[in-house]
Amino acid sequence: MIVPVAAADDARIAAFRDVRERDLVGRGGGFMAEGEVVLRLLSRHIARTGAAGAGHRLEALLLSEPQAQRLADLLAALPPDLPAYVAPQAVMDAVAGFAIHRGILALGRAHPARDAAALLDALGPRALVVAALGIANHDNVGGIFRNAAAFGAGAVLIDRASCDPLYRKAIRVSVGASLTVPFARVADASALLDLLAARGFEAIALSPAGAERLADVAPAPRVAALFGTEGPGLPAEVLARARTVAIPMAQDFDSLNVATTCGIVLHHLAEAGGKG
Amino acid sequence: MIVPVAAADDARIAAFRDVRERDLVGRGGGFMAEGEVVLRLLSRHIARTGAAGAGHRLEALLLSEPQAQRLADLLAALPPDLPAYVAPQAVMDAVAGFAIHRGILALGRAHPARDAAALLDALGPRALVVAALGIANHDNVGGIFRNAAAFGAGAVLIDRASCDPLYRKAIRVSVGASLTVPFARVADASALLDLLAARGFEAIALSPAGAERLADVAPAPRVAALFGTEGPGLPAEVLARARTVAIPMAQDFDSLNVATTCGIVLHHLAEAGGKG
């Protein structure tokens, strides 16, 4: 339902105000998605999962006038009661608090927090899971989800020290993957390892001091790849309880970005047959 | 040489003013590096290459008082005539124009632009080269250099449409690798392919429609991996003249970040024996 708005102080678009400053997730499960690629992915995801009430919900769109015209096909396929507010670019920028070059904002409500054990139970006998411990950077969390989606991971598990995958920037960097790959929080590394062991998942822990070379790893059918912060890495108690794996690097520059590391590992595990 | 400064308008630290807004490279080969890890890497690099006059030069440091104390070992090893200006954090932030949390800025002068053909000629019979075409994002250029350093690439070649590897943010994201991995500009993709062919480098072009699966690729001893923009990818004329390679991905999410893709490819090429 197209709803033209002409003024930045129109109360109907108040939910889009100052999106950069607000972490909507902290306000009861709301999230903000940006751009055409993410919106189309989210729409397909909702169409697939919505009937069962299992997925996220869209609550409102805010579009610039040219984008509303370009996305006519998408808008026609959305529920008729979903408001798509259409505003001049200047009004949109004034509401959001910065220049929304893409001209597309989507306000949504997230699926309630999932249970990690239930997520693992729902996966098949061959499955790939990603676990992030202490990843406090939105770019890295977003990048990890993007890799998880690209290599068909069935779930992402994150500890409480990692940042919210549904924060606006994490959604954007993930190209929407944090909205589509199911994830759950675990209390800490110890709870994660207990959970994986109980469900028959082999835990693979990346570390420069890993005992095996990644390229040599033939993973178990159910496998979880664990990633820690770039500096300190995974804690010693995690390495002691996992299969430790290293990526060989140049002697004088032993440093990879954690999202890149994740991509390298998932590519290998997917090729080596660790997923269904 | 420690030089205490007490005021943001001290003329001796004018070169550090408003670093966020200034692209120093556009001002005659200057660059700005940030943080301890990059400064230590750069210092080692200069110590190794400086005697031959082949590398970059350090011109001045600006340090917060606590950092100057922490880095005493590093400062003692630097040339005695290199000024290390030490300022209260508030003065440092006021000069730079934003909060310099790391408390470490280094102003340098870059090695003069290198010649791509000469760079390739300097490499051995087994060598790995990275080429970036149209990568206009500083994070991605920085990430590509970080991967190049980690996997021992001998050179990075970039076209004119890619952004400057010595821009402040690219240096930071590369963790200093753009200061240590030699790079050169090529005019365009066609010049790049001519150059690689003439030097006996196999050109591997990443593309979702690539003819071979990355995991199956046994590279030539001299190999160059080519990366294009995330959206349009490498142009058709490049794909027509290269060995095209794909990374298999999930059907509904065929999307990887270009720096992550680069990491995956370099890891495979390094493991498969493509470098010396």
Side-chain angles (χ1 to χ4, degrees):
Chain A
M1 177 180 57
I2 301 271
V3 183
V5 290
D9 61 357
D10 190 313
R12 294 171 297 180
I13 54 173
F16 293 94
R17 192 170 305 288
D18 299 330
V19 294
R20 184 174 258 169
E21 278 68 40
R22 292 163 61 182
D23 183 346
L24 284 160
V25 174
R27 303 187 182 197
F31 65 82
M32 188 71 76
E34 304 161 277
E36 178 178 353
V37 173
V38 175
L39 180 56
R40 288 193 184 275
L41 184 78
L42 179 59
S43 303
R44 287 198 302 274
H45 180 73
I46 288 174
R48 218 168 39 229
T49 61
H56 307 301
R57 291 206 317 273
L58 266 176
E59 297 200 323
L61 304 181
L62 177 58
L63 307 170
S64 69
E65 286 159 349
Q67 290 292 20
Q69 293 193 357
R70 280 192 55 246
L71 301 180
D73 65 314
L74 176 65
L75 297 180
L78 292 172
D81 60 339
L82 176 75
Y85 300 106
V86 178
Q89 184 72 46
V91 169
M92 190 167 183
D93 294 351
V95 174
F98 66 110
I100 306 286
H101 299 296
R102 298 162 191 239
I104 301 171
L105 286 174
L107 180 70
R109 187 147 298 276
H111 181 282
R114 289 182 167 89
D115 176 67
L119 265 191
L120 295 186
D121 287 339
L123 299 176
R126 298 182 71 79
L128 174 60
V129 165
V130 176
L133 297 171
I135 309 292
N137 172 296
H138 289 108
D139 288 284
N140 286 335
V141 167
I144 286 171
F145 271 87
R146 187 173 179 181
N147 296 332
F151 292 112
V156 176
L157 303 180
I158 50 176
D159 69 352
R160 297 193 192 287
S162 295
C163 63
D164 195 325
L166 297 187
Y167 181 76
R168 186 174 59 88
K169 193 179 182 191
I171 294 175
R172 188 179 70 222
V173 174
S174 80
V175 198
S178 65
L179 290 166
T180 62
V181 180
F183 68 88
R185 294 270 181 190
V186 291
D188 54 27
S190 173
L192 169 70
L193 289 161
D194 291 347
L195 193 65
L196 292 172
R199 263 73 188 175
F201 277 82
E202 176 177 67
I204 290 189
L206 267 287
S207 165
E212 289 173 87
R213 197 177 176 105
L214 174 65
D216 297 335
V217 171
R222 298 189 114 190
V223 61
L226 278 55
F227 303 95
T229 53
E230 285 178 31
L234 288 165
E237 59 267 32
V238 172
L239 299 180
R241 293 181 61 189
R243 182 175 181 182
T244 64
V245 169
I247 294 175
M249 280 182 259
Q251 250 189 330
D252 58 346
F253 197 91
D254 192 0
S255 165
L256 279 175
N257 167 264
V258 66
T260 299
T261 302
C262 169
I264 294 170
V265 171
L266 297 191
H267 173 255
H268 173 77
L269 295 178
E271 290 293 320
K275 68 182 185 97
Chain B
M1 177 179 56
I2 300 271
V3 183
V5 290
D9 60 357
D10 190 315
R12 294 171 298 180
I13 54 173
F16 293 94
R17 193 170 304 288
D18 299 329
V19 294
R20 184 173 259 170
E21 278 68 40
R22 293 163 61 182
D23 183 347
L24 284 160
V25 174
R27 303 185 182 198
F31 64 83
M32 186 72 74
E34 304 161 277
E36 178 177 354
V37 174
V38 174
L39 180 58
R40 289 193 183 275
L41 183 78
L42 179 59
S43 303
R44 288 198 303 274
H45 179 73
I46 288 174
R48 217 167 41 228
T49 60
H56 307 302
R57 290 206 317 272
L58 265 177
E59 298 200 322
L61 304 181
L62 177 58
L63 307 170
S64 69
E65 286 159 350
Q67 290 292 17
Q69 293 192 359
R70 282 191 55 246
L71 300 181
D73 67 314
L74 177 63
L75 297 179
L78 291 173
D81 60 339
L82 177 74
Y85 300 107
V86 177
Q89 184 72 47
V91 169
M92 190 166 183
D93 294 351
V95 174
F98 66 110
I100 305 286
H101 300 297
R102 299 162 190 239
I104 302 171
L105 287 175
L107 181 69
R109 186 147 300 276
H111 180 283
R114 289 184 168 88
D115 175 67
L119 265 192
L120 295 187
D121 286 340
L123 298 177
R126 297 182 72 79
L128 174 61
V129 164
V130 177
L133 297 170
I135 309 293
N137 173 296
H138 289 108
D139 289 283
N140 286 335
V141 167
I144 286 171
F145 271 87
R146 187 173 179 183
N147 296 332
F151 292 112
V156 176
L157 303 180
I158 49 176
D159 68 352
R160 296 193 192 287
S162 296
C163 62
D164 195 325
L166 296 186
Y167 181 75
R168 187 175 58 89
K169 193 179 182 191
I171 293 175
R172 189 180 70 222
V173 174
S174 80
V175 198
S178 64
L179 291 166
T180 61
V181 179
F183 68 89
R185 294 270 181 189
V186 291
D188 54 27
S190 172
L192 170 70
L193 288 162
D194 290 347
L195 194 64
L196 293 171
R199 264 72 187 175
F201 277 82
E202 176 176 67
I204 289 189
L206 265 290
S207 165
E212 289 173 88
R213 198 176 177 107
L214 174 65
D216 297 335
V217 171
R222 298 190 114 190
V223 61
L226 278 56
F227 304 95
T229 53
E230 285 178 31
L234 288 165
E237 59 266 32
V238 172
L239 300 180
R241 293 182 59 189
R243 182 175 180 181
T244 63
V245 169
I247 294 175
M249 280 183 259
Q251 250 190 331
D252 59 346
F253 196 91
D254 192 0
S255 165
L256 280 175
N257 166 264
V258 65
T260 299
T261 301
C262 169
I264 294 170
V265 171
L266 297 191
H267 173 254
H268 174 76
L269 295 177
E271 290 294 319
K275 67 182 184 96

